[in-house]
Amino acid sequence: MNDSYGATYGSAAYDSNVGIQAETVHNSNVYFVRPDASPQEKYRVGVRLLEDGIPSRAREMITDAIAHGYHNAEVRFHWVLAMLSARTYHDLSVEEVQRLRHASGLVRAYAEDEWKDSLRVTFDLLAALGTASGATGPVLKQLQDLPSRQHDAILRHFDLMLTGGLKDDLWAETLERAEAERFGNDRVGRVWAYFEPSPIGARAVLPRLSTDAAAAARAGLPLRLVLFVVSSAVLGALAWIAHPAQAVFELLLALVAGRTAARYGVRWWGRESRPGHTAGAGAPQPHGPAPAEDGFTKRVHSKFDHYFSVRTPHGFAPEAWLAHTAEVRSALAAEIADLYRESRISVDRVTWLIRYLAEESRNRHNNGTLFDRHRQDRTPAKTKVLNVAALVVLGAVALSAFSTAVSGAAQPRPLWAFLALLGATWSGHAAAQLWLEFRRERHRVAREAREYQEELAARQKAHERWKAFLNETRPSEREMETWLTCDKTSFVDEALRHHRLTWRDLITHTILAAPAPSYKRARVRGGPWRYSHYVIRLFLFTRDGIREISSELKFVDSTRRNEQRSNYRFDALSSVQVTENTDVGYDLELVFTNGPTRKIRVKDADAHQLAPDESAREISEISLSAAGFTHTFRLLEGIAADGKDWIERHNPDDLTPFQVTG
């Protein structure tokens, strides 16, 4: 199913110029909280937000749950993780540190369980920040003894909080876990489904209403029927006058032959198209004449060409199959383009239907009905024979009646008999044609209505199958966040090894995950944008300056390319600016004293992809936080303002120890 994924790489490490290729908002309620939600419900949503990499909103939800009286060791544990996730100790305000100290004093009041032990370890880790490596042994032992769920959560959310020797002691374990989870849960086979747009509903061509020809046939039929009845009556009366017994026999024979001709004529001429009509005239046609081919139509045709070329019957080469189905493929493409030509409808949303029609065409070829849409309506030979025989008998009876009427008669009876025969023949033929035209049209409408229902039902089933497959295949937010975190961990490890640095050599670090060129993006309702193609940018802050490493990441298989490195002193960074444009997005500008300004696209605009109950500002803040922008901007802004003095305030060895209360 990976044919839906296609990204074009280009260098985007610096001065990125990003363009949206495709975007999707999944209609999920995983983050939805009713206004009257209970504290327990808010807590559960808060935990999901935390696990899915949205700690800012998780803090709000869990704090709200606690404020409404729902708190225990488990709730407090996740509240602490939400407070510290994706932040350094210096990011905490004085008020937040005081709240953490207050919470540390509540630990002793909770019942003894694994959550209380985990909560105690989180505060002990905070207290161990800035202490010598040798003094952290006891707290590391406590961390190792925790159940894997709590142990892994602490390692993940304390990523930026832990520094120096403490981080060094835990790094091997963090890296091992990242390597184990990096391709877990069939990442390569499932990531594409996250960026697959929601398939638009099934549609089919509506049956055409009765034509003007059918209306004209209905209007002209009564007059011709009256003329036929009068002419036949006159001819019958003249025959009766001349020879009553023979006239009765001819009348009975005419009734039998006429009834037989009408019965089998309807089955033959009343269903098949009239001679001269184009083959397949009864097939559903588009709603109207197709306009000049636009971009949407061209993409539809291109998709049909692609899927017909990869879904070929046995024994057909792709080129031969495309040539064989040129007419069918063109008609189907015109139909789909006409049905779905709407503003802001992406071709990707109808790809499922194009794929289904390509498969159906292959199947119809295999059963011999590709070019014979109405094979089931063909008239049996028996019906044709009986109809022709009845018409021959009817003609013979008419001539016999004429002969009877004029036998032994004087003028003007032969003239009246001839005129009656001529009138009956002409009006009968005309009435039969109009009647059959009316029956043909009624049969066509019924047939097209039946075919419409059958085709629509088949497409709806295909649509439901595709939706179910997508829902089953699509990764969860937790899986997407876990994979991205593992990619970041692997990237950081390679950067440290390349520069021969340890965590003891770093003051801090930050990672910015921005969209790369030619990406697909998607998110769940209320969640951050996730991209099929990232630029991962790592800043390592050492006492000698800043090392910046960037690389393009193809998220589907975690491959990286176009790596670039840059080193600069603290005083080389003159200023940091953020440019916000509602229609464009966010740009981060780094101004250097001895070089050109560097512009980094952090996030594209998303105002056109908001659900009715979403706030543009809130979604923007969530996406920026998930990208690491908030933390990165704070660090770079501080360095631009303070220069090398920034080191003194952020030295991990000079942290004010966290005081655990109680």
Side-chain angles (χ1 to χ4, degrees):
M1 305 306 301
N2 289 344
D3 53 15
S4 65
Y5 183 92
T8 303
Y9 285 103
S11 177
Y14 301 123
D15 297 317
S16 303
N17 207 358
V18 180
I20 300 174
Q21 302 301 311
E23 55 187 282
T24 301
V25 178
H26 301 301
N27 188 22
S28 171
N29 292 323
V30 293
Y31 302 141
F32 178 74
V33 179
R34 295 178 292 104
D36 59 343
S38 66
Q40 291 87 341
E41 290 176 302
K42 293 179 180 179
Y43 165 70
R44 284 193 292 270
V45 174
V47 172
R48 179 181 287 273
L49 288 163
L50 179 63
E51 292 173 340
D52 294 350
I54 316 175
S56 57
R57 283 202 64 201
R59 285 194 291 272
E60 298 174 6
M61 287 291 178
I62 300 176
T63 299
D64 188 274
I66 293 174
H68 286 83
Y70 185 62
H71 63 91
N72 51 42
E74 178 184 352
V75 175
R76 281 293 178 181
F77 172 75
H78 286 105
W79 177 80
V80 172
L81 293 186
M83 290 290 289
L84 305 179
S85 183
R87 308 172 88 184
T88 66
Y89 191 78
H90 291 284
D91 291 332
L92 299 175
S93 66
V94 174
E95 179 186 357
E96 288 173 329
V97 172
Q98 290 176 347
R99 292 169 64 188
L100 285 167
R101 286 175 178 165
H102 172 73
S104 69
L106 302 176
V107 176
R108 62 179 181 272
Y110 297 130
E112 292 292 338
D113 59 12
E114 61 185 24
W115 295 107
K116 180 176 181 178
D117 294 337
S118 303
L119 184 58
R120 186 183 293 114
V121 170
T122 60
F123 288 121
D124 289 344
L125 281 172
L126 279 178
L129 295 179
T131 60
S133 179
T136 60
V139 68
L140 291 179
K141 177 62 169 60
Q142 295 174 34
L143 178 61
Q144 295 295 335
D145 292 340
L146 291 178
S148 59
R149 178 182 177 185
Q150 290 86 345
H151 169 271
D152 293 347
I154 291 175
L155 284 185
R156 174 186 169 189
H157 295 291
F158 272 57
D159 178 60
L160 294 179
M161 192 65 57
L162 301 177
T163 57
L166 191 57
K167 186 67 174 280
D168 259 339
D169 293 336
L170 294 170
W171 183 242
E173 183 180 351
T174 301
L175 185 61
E176 181 181 359
R177 182 169 56 89
E179 290 301 320
E181 297 179 348
R182 189 175 176 189
F183 295 100
N185 297 331
D186 191 22
R187 170 181 179 169
V188 176
R190 296 175 57 217
V191 164
W192 66 269
Y194 187 87
F195 301 103
E196 189 74 9
S198 300
I200 196 169
R203 300 176 189 175
V205 177
L206 290 169
R208 294 169 295 161
L209 299 177
S210 295
T211 61
D212 293 339
R218 181 183 296 181
L221 183 59
L223 179 61
R224 287 159 177 79
L225 281 176
V226 169
L227 180 58
F228 174 74
V229 170
V230 171
S231 299
S232 299
V234 170
L235 183 61
L238 293 175
W240 172 271
I241 294 172
H243 201 302
Q246 188 171 342
V248 171
F249 173 75
E250 291 168 345
L251 175 61
L252 293 175
L253 190 58
L255 290 175
V256 172
R259 185 176 182 279
T260 302
R263 177 183 178 186
Y264 290 102
V266 168
R267 297 183 183 180
W268 182 6
W269 304 101
R271 296 188 179 186
E272 292 190 353
S273 300
R274 289 176 297 169
H277 279 205
T278 57
Q285 302 296 324
H287 299 299
E293 194 169 271
D294 54 17
F296 178 81
T297 302
K298 290 179 180 178
R299 289 191 293 273
V300 168
H301 278 271
S302 178
K303 287 284 187 180
F304 267 99
D305 291 344
H306 168 71
Y307 282 108
F308 266 73
S309 67
V310 298
R311 282 161 171 77
T312 59
H314 178 71
F316 267 93
E319 296 79 8
W321 179 241
L322 288 177
H324 185 68
T325 59
E327 184 177 348
V328 171
R329 199 171 65 255
S330 178
L332 288 174
E335 175 187 332
I336 298 306
D338 182 70
L339 285 173
Y340 291 97
R341 184 182 286 107
E342 298 175 6
S343 175
R344 303 187 68 82
I345 293 296
S346 166
V347 173
D348 290 335
R349 295 191 63 193
V350 297
T351 296
W352 69 269
L353 180 54
I354 296 173
R355 182 169 48 244
Y356 163 74
L357 291 174
E359 294 170 352
E360 185 191 38
S361 297
R362 179 187 61 192
N363 296 338
R364 286 175 56 195
H365 167 81
N366 291 338
N367 60 33
T369 61
L370 179 60
F371 300 106
D372 197 359
R373 186 181 183 94
H374 306 301
R375 185 168 186 168
Q376 69 277 11
D377 285 343
R378 285 188 171 181
T379 306
K382 178 182 177 181
T383 299
K384 295 181 178 181
V385 169
L386 290 174
N387 179 248
V388 171
L391 289 175
V392 170
V393 171
L394 191 61
V397 169
L399 291 175
S400 176
F402 173 75
S403 177
T404 301
V406 300
S407 61
Q411 293 292 345
R413 190 187 301 173
L415 177 62
W416 285 108
F418 175 76
L419 292 176
L421 176 63
L422 183 63
T425 302
W426 177 84
S427 60
H429 179 266
Q433 278 192 320
L434 293 177
W435 181 55
L436 289 174
E437 178 70 29
F438 172 71
R439 292 298 297 262
R440 270 195 299 267
E441 187 65 14
R442 189 169 70 174
H443 175 72
R444 180 197 62 78
V445 172
R447 183 191 63 211
E448 289 188 7
R450 182 180 69 253
E451 290 175 347
Y452 166 76
Q453 293 296 337
E454 293 173 353
E455 184 69 22
L456 183 61
R459 294 182 182 186
Q460 286 173 337
K461 288 181 180 178
H463 178 258
E464 290 303 318
R465 286 196 302 269
W466 180 243
K467 280 183 62 178
F469 179 74
L470 279 182
N471 292 336
E472 180 182 345
T473 307
R474 184 181 296 121
S476 66
E477 290 297 296
R478 186 181 308 176
E479 288 174 317
M480 295 291 288
E481 181 64 23
T482 297
W483 291 330
L484 181 58
T485 300
C486 292
D487 290 338
K488 292 177 180 178
T489 301
S490 176
F491 183 49
V492 170
D493 181 67
E494 289 186 16
L496 290 175
R497 287 191 285 108
H498 175 81
H499 290 287
R500 298 181 181 180
L501 295 171
T502 68
W503 288 104
R504 292 180 177 85
D505 301 322
L506 300 183
I507 300 172
T508 188
H509 76 289
T510 186
I511 299 177
L512 184 63
S518 189
Y519 63 79
K520 294 182 179 181
R521 72 175 182 177
R523 64 180 179 86
V524 299
R525 197 163 58 121
W529 285 111
R530 302 188 185 277
Y531 301 90
S532 63
H533 188 192
Y534 285 94
V535 170
I536 304 294
R537 185 172 279 102
L538 170 65
F539 296 90
L540 300 175
F541 300 89
T542 69
R543 290 168 179 78
D544 298 326
I546 303 172
R547 288 179 171 86
E548 180 184 346
I549 308 97
S550 67
S551 180
E552 295 180 14
L553 170 69
K554 186 179 178 184
F555 189 70
V556 67
D557 57 6
S558 188
T559 56
R560 295 196 302 268
R561 58 175 293 174
N562 292 341
E563 186 166 303
Q564 297 186 20
R565 301 181 184 89
S566 180
N567 302 306
Y568 39 90
R569 303 183 312 276
F570 288 107
D571 55 6
L573 187 61
S574 173
S575 66
V576 180
Q577 301 174 5
V578 175
T579 303
E580 177 185 357
N581 188 308
T582 304
D583 298 323
V584 177
Y586 276 78
D587 289 331
L588 179 65
E589 295 184 4
L590 305 182
V591 182
F592 294 91
T593 56
N594 56 352
T597 299
R598 182 134 48 82
K599 181 182 292 186
I600 302 171
R601 173 62 53 84
V602 179
K603 185 184 73 67
D604 280 327
D606 49 27
H608 298 299
Q609 286 290 338
L610 294 174
D613 58 344
E614 289 184 318
S615 163
R617 174 62 60 181
E618 184 177 89
I619 296 300
S620 180
E621 290 176 354
I622 289 172
S623 295
L624 290 172
S625 177
F629 168 79
T630 306
H631 179 62
T632 301
F633 177 71
R634 185 181 295 114
L635 287 177
L636 294 176
E637 186 181 41
I639 291 171
D642 298 341
K644 201 160 186 178
D645 293 339
W646 178 88
I647 299 176
E648 303 303 322
R649 295 193 297 106
H650 289 77
N651 191 335
D653 297 330
D654 296 332
L655 285 177
T656 302
F658 179 82
Q659 300 294 329
V660 178
T661 304

